[in-house]
């Protein structure tokens, strides 16, 4: 008899509220919302680029995409996403194919949850 286990990846994603408050204080409500909106769009693009590069085995394309993703994630308080981006880079630099695949999959999961968390915050007052 064969058994198949399905692992459920369920990680909490937490945004850095201090970073978001600082953005609103620095840029005002309209400026912060424009910056965050632009960052969300760019993060979605970068996540897709990282995923495509990893699936195509183009490790040389990972670096620039992940570095920009890391910068944007830190800018808007997505610490978990920034940290996982670094993990992808570390695996790529170590030529760890399985590690790259695993960390890119995690990056996609964390990215989706992080983007959703920010979109949910848009309905709240900071």
């Amino acid at each position: 008899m064969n058994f198949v286990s399905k692992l459920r990846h369920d990680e909490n994603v937490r945004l850095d509220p201090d970073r978001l408050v600082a953005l609103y204080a620095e840029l005002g409500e309209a400026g912060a919302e424009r910056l965050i909106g632009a960052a969300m769009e760019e993060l979605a693009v970068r996540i897709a680029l990282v995923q495509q590069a990893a699936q195509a085995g183009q490790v040389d394309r990972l670096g620039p995409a992940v570095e920009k993703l890391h910068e944007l994630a830190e800018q808007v308080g997505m610490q978990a996403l920034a940290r996982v981006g670094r993990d992808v880079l570390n695996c790529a630099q170590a030529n760890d194919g399985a590690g790259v695949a695993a960390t890119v999959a995690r990056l996609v999961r964390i990215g989706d949850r992080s983007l959703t968390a920010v979109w949910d915050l848009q309905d709240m007052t900071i």
Side-chain angles (χ1 to χ4, degrees), residues 46-47 49-54 57-72 82 84-94 100 104 107:
R46 293 290 168 171
I47 291 168
L49 289 173
V50 168
Q51 190 174 24
Q52 290 167 359
Q58 298 171 331
V59 179
D60 57 315
R61 286 182 39 213
L62 284 176
V66 173
E67 286 174 7
K68 182 63 176 176
L69 182 144
H70 181 268
E71 177 186 317
L72 289 167
V84 176
R86 283 223 186 272
D87 293 341
V88 170
L89 283 178
N90 291 339
C91 290
Q93 291 168 347
V100 168
V104 167
L107 181 84

Side-chain angles (χ1 to χ4, degrees), residues 2 10 23 26 30 32 38-39 44 46 54 56 67 88:
N2 293 329
D10 191 19
L23 283 175
E26 287 173 36
R46 293 290 168 171
E67 286 174 7
V88 170

Side-chain angles (χ1 to χ4, degrees), residues 15 36-37 39-41 44 78 111-124:
L15 301 174
I36 292 169
M40 297 302 95
E41 289 178 24
M78 295 180 174
D112 288 346
R113 291 188 129 189
S114 295
L115 293 173
T116 300
V118 171
W119 288 323
D120 289 346
L121 274 180
Q122 288 179 341
D123 294 332
M124 300 171 64

